[in-house]
Structure formats: structure tokens, C-alpha cells
Amino acid sequence: MGRKVNPIGFRLKVNRTWDGRWYAEGDDYVHQLQQDFKIRDHIRADSPRAGISRIEIERFPGKVKVIVHTAKPGVFIGRKGENVKKVRRSLEEVAGKKIDLDIKEIKSPDLDSLLVAENIAGQLERRISFSRAMKRAIRQTMRQGAEGIRVQVAGRLAGAEMARTIHMREGRVPRQTLRADIDYATSEALTTYGRIGVKVWIYKGEILSLAEESPESSEGVYVSE
């Protein structure tokens, strides 16, 4: 077994923050964590074609704020806001509190790892060649300005008897560099031969860590010329 770590968890509090921002203790923590899972599942189930990527949850006394990042805000909102009202009602039943729903548009879907992974999985389910789907996703992502992308598929590819793992990469993908802004996601394609797993890493460049951005961290540091 290889020693693998999730790139998102690896960089938490370094150059990105949590998707769930709240505090609780004991049984309240367990209850609210399970509630977060249900909220995310409800949103994705109610709008499967809206291109939903991240769902952030913030909790305040008496209300829950849900921030939905979607590539198709018009599909998620629905005609005259009907879908949003339906989603808000179902979420209030789950949370038992007032829901503040905030919708943010994803400007470049080809730079979002989850949307790219789901796109590849969808093509595999439609029996498109895995190599063709991977090359197309890589080409579109690099065209949008990414500095690197790595795509990996695993399973009974093309109906083969034995499962295998294939990966393709273009550009740089420094997975061990903490300041590297790497977006990572997984998806699954349900084919007639079984499940095919899809993993996508997208490198968008280097960003300063939270500690490096704070002015206090630079005090007392001497740099020689």
C-alpha cells in the first residue's frame, strides 16, 4: 500500500479553509456533522444537472448559511426561483432552522476538478473511449489557463477482464508542495462492466500560505542581499 494523503486535507489551514465552518462539542458535533452530510446530499439530489461543485456551510444562532458553488446557476434557481424555494424548504426540514441560501457562479467549469471528474465519468458511462475522454478534459483545462493537470482512471477499462490504472498528465502538478494551489476531486462511472474510478488534480499556481500573508510573520526576519 502506498502512503497517500488527500490534497485538500493536506493543505487545510495552509492555503485554504474548511467547507464547514462552525463549532460544536460532544453529541452536538456528531448531530451537526450528520446534518451537513444530509444538506449536501439533498442539494445534489434536487439539482443533479446544475453542475454543483462545492457546498459550504456556516452556522449561526437560529440559522444556517449554505453557499452553493454551481456552474449553472440558472438551472439551480429554476424558473422564477421555484427550484430554490423547493430546496430551501427541504433543507429547513432537515436542519430545523432558517436556511440562508447563497448561490455563487463558477466562471470556469473546466478549472474545477469535481466538474472535470464528473464530465469524464459521464463520458465513460456513455461508452466513449477512456483515452479520448481524458485527453479532451486535459486539453480543455489547459486551454483555460491551468498550469498542470493529472487525470487517473481505474477499473475494467474498455471491458477488459483485469482491472488496471491509467493516468495522464500535462504541465506541472507538484502534489507535495504545500503552497501549490491544487484542486482535487474524485468521481465514479457506473458502467456495464462495473465501477470505474476517476481522480483529477488541477494545479492553478502557487499561493502564499495564511501564515506568510499575515504581517506578523515577517517581523524579525532578515534577508541578506
Side-chain angles (χ1 to χ4, degrees), residues 16 23 31 39 45 50 69 74 80 84 91 95 97 113-114 116 118 144 146 157 165 174 193 205 215-216 221:
R16 66 175 291 153
Y23 177 81
H31 175 68
I39 288 173
H69 297 260
K80 296 182 181 179
V84 167
L91 293 182
K97 294 181 180 180
S113 59
L114 181 60
V116 173
E118 289 180 347
Q144 290 295 321
L157 302 174
T165 300
Y193 301 103
E216 292 82 3
V221 177

Side-chain angles (χ1 to χ4, degrees), residues 6 113-114 117-118 184-188 197-200:
N6 188 296
S113 59
L114 181 60
E118 289 180 347
Y184 168 78
T186 63
S187 185
E188 287 184 346
V198 181
K199 293 182 178 180
V200 175

Side-chain angles (χ1 to χ4, degrees), residues 164-185:
R164 56 187 171 140
T165 300
I166 301 291
H167 74 265
M168 295 182 183
R169 191 188 71 183
E170 187 170 336
R172 292 179 59 237
V173 186
R175 289 177 289 172
Q176 302 301 318
T177 306
L178 279 172
R179 66 167 58 185
D181 182 14
I182 291 184
D183 194 12
Y184 168 78

Side-chain angles (χ1 to χ4, degrees), residues 135-150:
K135 288 177 182 177
R136 182 186 298 173
I138 290 173
R139 187 168 58 249
Q140 290 176 345
T141 300
M142 294 301 291
R143 192 180 297 158
Q144 290 295 321
E147 295 196 16
I149 177 174
R150 174 188 168 99

